[in-house]
Amino acid sequence: MKKNEEMNPKTEEAEASQECVYEIIGVRFKSSGKIYYFDPQGAEFAEGDSVIVETARGVEYGTVMLSNKTVTEKEVVLPLRPVLRRATAEDDKIYEENKRKEKEAAKICVEKIAEHGLEMKLVDAEYTFDNSKLLFYFTADGRVDFRELVKSLAAIFRTRIELRQIGIRDETKMIGGLGVCGRPFCCKKFLDDFVQVSIKMAKEQNLSLNSQKISGACGRLMCCLRYEHEAYEEALSGLPKVDSAVETPDGRGIVCEVIPLSGIVKVKFSGEHAVVRSYAREDVRGLAPAKKPAEEKTRAPSSD
């Protein structure tokens, strides 16, 4: 009788550590849209090349933003869709013609929206590369019954019509413009996706909490509040909190303000002539909060 072969633990660890890798290229369909991974099918592509790829909504024309590279299975969403071919001169003409047709479609859609009396605002129109679908992006305060509108548009364009309601941030990203800094909107220029921004980030950066000063054109908190968030968090981690008691070379005081990036702590001293002095973070030491005395038992012992 043969003995069962035992697996070598080292072999199991080696097999577990081997991750599947895939060769991909990154393709973008809009100037400021997300980058999607595709299977190059063994072909070599350079950044800036135009390609025809297969997507969930059909055949599309895109621009290579990431040349051939290898990524692990954790970095991709399987199955990878293939690159059909490198775009030809004829493909370029079709793409430009679609752009021209999109402008005409947008004008017609605006007219039809007015005819149907719908409370909605058209933002953009987009044809798929193979003209199998025409998408209209719009904003509205609530839900809109656009079934009759779809029928009217389908009768005119003779293709599949899809209306998508988007948010105000998406609208701003599509339209573009200039921010208070005088530069093009980050979302239009280079942001692939929207980041989470909170009022806490503005507080940590000692910015005005006036909503008009920290909000973008979309009416939401500015995306740039996120850019220096980690640096401020790291700087604040080594500073005492405002209203905490600290020990300084001049005695004890209460922190009234901190300047994170420069490491300055402003301390207020009590007394007849209250003063505020500035110190470097190395010159102040936080004091532990005083412990509350334990409650004494007030109940008299029983006489029994």
Side-chain angles (χ1 to χ4, degrees):
M1 190 173 179
K2 294 182 179 180
K3 294 182 179 179
N4 293 330
E5 294 183 0
E6 295 183 359
M7 289 290 291
N8 188 336
K10 292 185 178 180
T11 304
E12 289 181 345
E13 290 179 5
E15 290 179 354
S17 63
Q18 290 179 353
E19 293 186 87
C20 293
V21 293
Y22 299 87
E23 185 181 16
I24 59 93
I25 62 169
V27 178
R28 177 178 280 166
F29 302 103
K30 293 185 177 181
S31 59
S32 56
K34 293 182 181 179
I35 295 177
Y36 297 90
Y37 290 166
F38 289 88
D39 182 354
Q41 300 285 294
E44 291 290 330
F45 295 94
E47 185 177 340
D49 287 349
S50 298
V51 291
I52 305 299
V53 297
E54 181 185 332
T55 71
R57 67 182 193 182
V59 177
E60 289 286 5
Y61 178 103
T63 303
V64 176
M65 304 304 296
L66 295 173
S67 57
N68 296 61
K69 62 179 291 188
T70 301
V71 296
T72 63
E73 187 174 1
K74 295 179 181 179
E75 298 177 77
V76 297
V77 178
L78 299 175
L80 280 172
R81 293 184 180 270
V83 175
L84 299 180
R85 65 179 184 274
R86 195 183 303 273
T88 63
E90 185 62 27
D91 292 328
D92 295 339
K93 289 180 181 178
I94 295 174
Y95 177 73
E96 293 300 327
E97 178 63 15
N98 285 346
K99 290 299 176 186
R100 185 191 64 78
K101 290 165 60 177
E102 287 169 359
K103 294 179 180 179
E104 294 179 359
K107 291 180 182 178
I108 294 173
C109 185
V110 170
E111 293 173 1
K112 291 300 178 182
I113 289 173
E115 285 182 17
H116 288 276
L118 298 175
E119 294 294 328
M120 54 191 290
K121 175 187 174 185
L122 183 69
V123 178
D124 196 14
E126 180 183 354
Y127 268 105
T128 56
F129 179 75
D130 56 5
N131 281 201
S132 62
K133 186 189 296 185
L134 176 55
L135 299 95
F136 294 99
Y137 300 91
F138 71 94
T139 58
D141 292 334
R143 296 188 65 180
V144 180
D145 185 357
F146 48 70
R147 288 174 292 183
E148 294 302 320
L149 174 62
V150 171
K151 292 178 182 179
S152 299
L153 295 173
I156 296 172
F157 298 107
R158 302 292 181 179
T159 189
R160 184 180 174 186
I161 303 296
E162 185 174 326
L163 272 74
R164 291 186 182 178
Q165 186 170 356
I166 60 175
I168 190 170
R169 297 180 82 187
D170 297 291
E171 178 189 9
T172 305
K173 181 181 180 72
M174 286 184 174
I175 296 174
L178 297 177
V180 293
C181 59
R183 297 178 62 83
F185 295 153
C186 297
C187 58
K188 180 68 175 178
K189 191 70 176 177
F190 62 87
L191 284 182
D192 293 341
D193 202 358
F194 294 111
V195 294
Q196 185 177 1
V197 186
S198 67
I199 195 69
K200 178 185 176 184
M201 297 177 185
K203 291 180 180 179
E204 289 178 344
Q205 297 173 42
N206 289 332
L207 298 176
S208 168
L209 299 185
N210 184 334
S211 61
Q212 292 183 347
K213 293 184 177 180
I214 58 176
S215 297
C218 61
R220 303 290 188 267
L221 291 174
M222 293 189 293
C223 294
C224 56
L225 293 176
R226 182 86 185 184
Y227 300 165
E228 299 179 356
H229 174 60
E230 293 182 0
Y232 273 90
E233 274 196 327
E234 183 178 351
L236 285 169
S237 64
L239 293 172
K241 294 183 178 180
V242 174
D243 293 331
S244 63
V246 292
E247 185 72 45
T248 74
D250 301 312
R252 296 185 179 183
I254 302 296
V255 177
C256 60
E257 184 183 351
V258 294
I259 305 175
L261 298 186
S262 58
I264 300 298
V265 182
K266 294 186 178 182
V267 181
K268 183 177 181 180
F269 296 91
S270 58
E272 185 177 351
H273 302 287
V275 294
V276 175
R277 294 176 181 171
S278 299
Y279 299 92
R281 72 175 74 209
E282 301 82 17
D283 296 331
V284 297
R285 181 171 57 86
L287 298 176
K291 294 183 179 179
K292 294 182 179 180
E295 295 183 2
E296 296 179 1
K297 295 182 180 180
T298 56
R299 185 177 177 182
S302 175
S303 57
D304 294 339

